[in-house]
């Protein structure tokens, strides 16, 4: 089980990153059920961490315009197991998308300090 808390209008969970030759560290992510990929981090955070770049991915925005978003790769610990995931370099807030929730149940108590639980199905 993965757990987090609801705070400031957002369901949050910590994700542990594993980089070569460095201690593990975690980043707090907001769960965004409208985001269908794995993770999203601000470009500055990705540069600081030094995640490997994969390629620029075309993305269609709500106004039907297209942009290229740099795509990176990360090794995380998810439900106690290592998992390689895609990380989009965009936005101002770390977001966790539904691709990472595939095969899991998400339960959110929508009250300040409420529990957020993610259980494998």
């Amino acid at each position: 089980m993965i757990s987090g808390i609801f705070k400031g209008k957002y369901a949050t969970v910590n994700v542990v990153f594993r980089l070569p030759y460095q201690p593990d560290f975690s980043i707090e992510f907001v769960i965004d059920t409208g985001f269908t990929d794995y993770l999203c981090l601000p470009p500055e955070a990705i540069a600081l961490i030094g995640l490997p770049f994969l390629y620029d991915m075309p993305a269609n925005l709500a106004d039907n315009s297209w942009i290229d978003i740099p795509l990176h790769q990360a090794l995380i610990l998810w439900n106690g197991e290592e998992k390689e995931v895609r990380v989009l370099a965009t936005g101002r807030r770390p977001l966790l998308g539904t691709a990472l929730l595939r095969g899991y149940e998400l339960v959110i108590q929508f009250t300040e300090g409420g529990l957020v639980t993610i259980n494998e199905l």
Side-chain angles (χ1 to χ4, degrees), residues 9-56:
K9 302 179 186 176
Y10 300 105
T12 65
V13 294
N14 286 326
V15 175
V16 175
F17 283 75
R18 182 161 281 176
L19 298 175
Y21 313 111
Q22 295 185 31
D24 292 348
F25 63 93
S26 67
I27 298 175
E28 184 179 78
F29 281 80
V30 170
I31 298 172
D32 182 352
T33 58
F35 171 46
T36 59
D37 217 297
Y38 290 89
L39 297 174
C40 181
L41 279 171
E44 300 82 9
I46 288 180
L48 184 65
I49 298 169
L51 295 179
F53 173 76
L54 295 176
Y55 56 90
D56 285 325

Side-chain angles (χ1 to χ4, degrees), residues 42-107:
E44 300 82 9
I46 288 180
L48 184 65
I49 298 169
L51 295 179
F53 173 76
L54 295 176
Y55 56 90
D56 285 325
M57 181 179 80
N60 185 239
L61 303 179
D63 66 357
N64 206 29
S65 63
W66 287 88
I67 63 169
D68 286 333
I69 298 176
L71 189 63
H72 297 260
Q73 185 174 27
L75 183 63
I76 64 169
L77 292 180
W78 186 249
N79 203 24
E81 297 183 13
E82 289 185 346
K83 185 174 183 82
E84 283 192 3
V85 297
R86 298 167 13 145
V87 182
L88 282 68
T90 188
R92 296 176 293 141
R93 174 179 295 140
L95 299 177
L96 186 152
T98 57
L100 201 49
L101 298 174
R102 199 166 292 133
Y104 288 84
E105 175 189 48
L106 170 64
V107 177

